[in-house]
Amino acid sequence: LNQEKSFKIRKEIIELDPYVPGEQPGDPTKIIKLNTNENPYPPSPSIDQATREILDRGLLRLYPNPNSDSLRVALASIYGIEKDQILVTNGSDEAIRILFQSVLESGDSYAYPDPTYSAYPVFADTTLERLKPKPIPLREDLSFDWEKLKKTDSKLYCFANPNAPTSLLESKESVLSFVDSVDGMVLCDEAYIDFAEPGSSLIQETKSRMNLVVSRTFSKAYSLAGLRVGFLVGHPEFIQLLYKIKDSYNVGMLDQSIARAAVLDQDYFQDTRNKIIQTRKDFREKLQSLGFFVPESSTNFVFARPPKGISPQELFEYLKTKKIFVRYFAKGIASQFIRITIGQDEEMEVSVQEINAFLEKQKPDL
Ligand SMILES: Cc1ncc(COP(=O)(O)O)c(C=O)c1O
């Protein structure tokens, strides 16, 4: 190694606190995996044909459609928006990154409720130096402090709605009144919106607002986390500007085709969504009967605070020894909770049994 040289790399990258995704163990069939909000059901069977067609015809030798046109047509018809309002991306993570890169300039502030999806500050830090993050703590009831967010007078506001890790949905009215009261750009990340009350999405509101964009993903309700497809929806003129900075071929041919088949199979989509919502209801009730505080979830996970005297971190570690992976965040208000993804009914039953066993063990110490 020629040690007289040094790597040429930005100081911010060396100092960056990276986003840490939930663990992806080698063989997921040997554990109950409730740690990264994946869907426990397989994707629509209609994706098989979409895949086979491309492989059988040897089409992968060609570059994909650069703008994911067929997928955008399908999305536009399903969501009742215009094709030009949509930018398809490599997971919604890319959508968020493109937005940050396009909106923020050195010295700008960006605000977000804390906690929310913890990747936002990482996208910002890797975009530019000297950005000013303005994390605004959630109120005691875990809702957003809209007044304080507004007072930051930021160039960009970003949050997940429903929020992660809290699972709570902010009403459409409160988000819209915030959007209308600020000058900055607002990113409403709807990664989990399919698990909320129908009609909660702001996707339709983007056309009439210059400062609202919505991100969506195929990773959760469409069971396609392994594919990496997401999209951003906004005012058509704004979205067209973002096309300038995306990679030419940012979404693969198989990805476009599989995502299209999945979105067109709305019956299958509704079916799995409804199953998850029913399991969520049963699981929440069971946790509540064990003394947990579990806010009403609008997502495919619950945020659960164990009964008094029970350490969430110890519970998290105990479950891991039983090969049940959930998520624990050691920071701030989230450190009082564990986040548990909704799996299939049998997985949740085993989880309840193990949680109960842990509580029983702690009893003598209570
Ligand atoms: C709130 C939120 N937004 C975005 C993402 C990223 O999703 P994708 O798989 O589309 O990149 C996640 C992933 O867990 C998330 O929780």
Side-chain angles (χ1 to χ4, degrees):
L1 190 65
N2 51 351
Q3 274 174 335
E4 72 283 3
K5 310 230 182 223
S6 61
F7 299 122
K8 301 292 175 283
I9 184 163
R10 284 169 49 201
K11 181 163 81 24
E12 290 74 26
I13 308 295
I14 296 168
E15 290 167 1
L16 181 73
D17 215 355
Y19 173 72
V20 184
E23 236 175 297
Q24 294 290 356
D27 185 354
T29 55
K30 295 206 173 114
I31 62 160
I32 295 183
K33 191 171 181 311
L34 309 175
N35 66 337
T36 50
N37 301 339
E38 289 143 330
N39 197 310
Y41 299 104
S44 158
S46 68
I47 70 165
D48 294 0
Q49 205 200 330
T51 310
R52 219 173 305 122
E53 210 169 289
I54 289 176
L55 297 181
D56 288 353
R57 292 171 62 199
L59 294 178
L60 285 179
R61 69 191 177 80
L62 301 171
Y63 281 108
N65 180 291
N67 299 332
S68 304
D69 283 323
S70 306
L71 174 54
R72 283 196 299 147
V73 169
L75 287 169
S77 78
I78 295 291
Y79 291 109
I81 49 179
E82 283 175 29
K83 180 177 163 230
D84 287 350
Q85 288 185 262
I86 307 169
L87 171 70
V88 178
T89 53
N90 178 31
S92 57
D93 276 348
E94 190 198 18
I96 300 165
R97 190 188 286 280
I98 288 178
L99 183 74
F100 274 59
Q101 277 176 354
S102 311
V103 173
L104 295 172
E105 293 172 72
S106 205
D108 283 342
S109 59
Y110 64 99
Y112 52 95
D114 185 28
T116 187
Y117 184 37
S118 53
Y120 304 137
V122 179
F123 290 132
D125 285 346
T126 49
T127 295
L128 268 182
E129 50 193 298
R130 290 190 296 281
L131 291 175
K132 296 184 193 125
K134 305 267 163 124
I136 302 297
L138 296 179
R139 289 191 288 221
E140 213 157 292
D141 64 356
L142 304 176
S143 65
F144 294 176
D145 194 334
W146 293 114
E147 277 310 308
K148 286 208 178 121
L149 283 165
K150 193 169 146 184
K151 279 205 187 115
T152 63
D153 196 19
S154 293
K155 179 86 160 286
L156 177 70
Y157 304 87
C158 44
F159 48 81
N161 195 39
N163 197 19
T166 65
S167 80
L168 291 177
L169 180 76
E170 292 286 338
S171 75
K172 207 168 170 171
E173 294 70 33
S174 58
V175 182
L176 284 180
S177 94
F178 177 74
V179 171
D180 293 340
S181 72
V182 295
D183 198 40
M185 205 73 205
V186 179
L187 167 67
C188 183
D189 174 347
E190 294 190 345
Y192 299 103
I193 197 81
D194 296 311
F195 302 104
E197 194 63 30
S200 303
S201 172
L202 290 185
I203 221 167
Q204 306 270 357
E205 313 295 332
T206 52
K207 203 174 162 191
S208 57
R209 286 175 174 83
M210 297 186 83
N211 67 330
L212 172 65
V213 283
V214 170
S215 60
R216 300 287 285 258
T217 182
F218 279 85
S219 301
K220 313 293 177 183
Y222 285 103
S223 299
L224 289 169
L227 200 62
R228 311 304 303 132
V229 183
F231 56 103
L232 198 64
V233 182
H235 189 279
E237 283 172 43
F238 181 73
I239 292 293
Q240 293 319 298
L241 292 170
L242 304 191
Y243 270 84
K244 291 185 178 184
I245 71 156
K246 78 169 188 67
D247 286 347
S248 310
Y249 304 107
N250 63 329
V251 182
M253 188 187 290
L254 283 169
D255 298 36
Q256 293 181 31
S257 179
I258 289 172
R260 179 174 173 277
V263 80
L264 289 176
D265 191 354
Q266 283 292 305
D267 288 345
Y268 182 87
F269 167 78
Q270 291 300 344
D271 215 42
T272 43
R273 169 195 178 270
N274 293 342
K275 276 198 274 193
I276 290 167
I277 289 174
Q278 184 58 48
T279 309
R280 176 181 80 195
K281 181 171 175 289
D282 298 342
F283 182 62
R284 178 171 179 248
E285 284 168 7
K286 283 182 189 144
L287 286 182
Q288 284 174 321
S289 71
L290 292 177
F292 280 72
F293 167 65
V294 193
E296 173 92 63
S297 167
S298 291
T299 60
N300 65 337
F301 57 88
V302 295
F303 196 47
R305 191 177 67 205
K308 218 162 174 265
I310 302 291
S311 150
Q313 186 165 7
E314 284 173 20
L315 173 57
F316 158 81
E317 279 157 10
Y318 171 83
L319 289 174
K320 201 164 170 179
T321 65
K322 300 290 167 188
K323 298 203 173 358
I324 301 170
F325 283 44
V326 300
R327 196 87 198 261
Y328 175 70
F329 299 94
K331 221 180 103 206
I333 197 166
S335 64
Q336 301 170 22
F337 292 76
I338 55 172
R339 194 194 70 185
I340 309 172
T341 304
I342 302 301
Q344 298 200 14
D345 282 330
E346 312 75 62
E347 296 176 305
M348 304 324 282
E349 272 159 32
V350 174
S351 302
V352 167
Q353 281 163 17
E354 287 299 347
I355 290 170
N356 196 22
F358 180 75
L359 297 187
E360 290 293 324
K361 273 197 201 194
Q362 308 290 305
K363 259 192 186 151
D365 304 333
L366 285 181

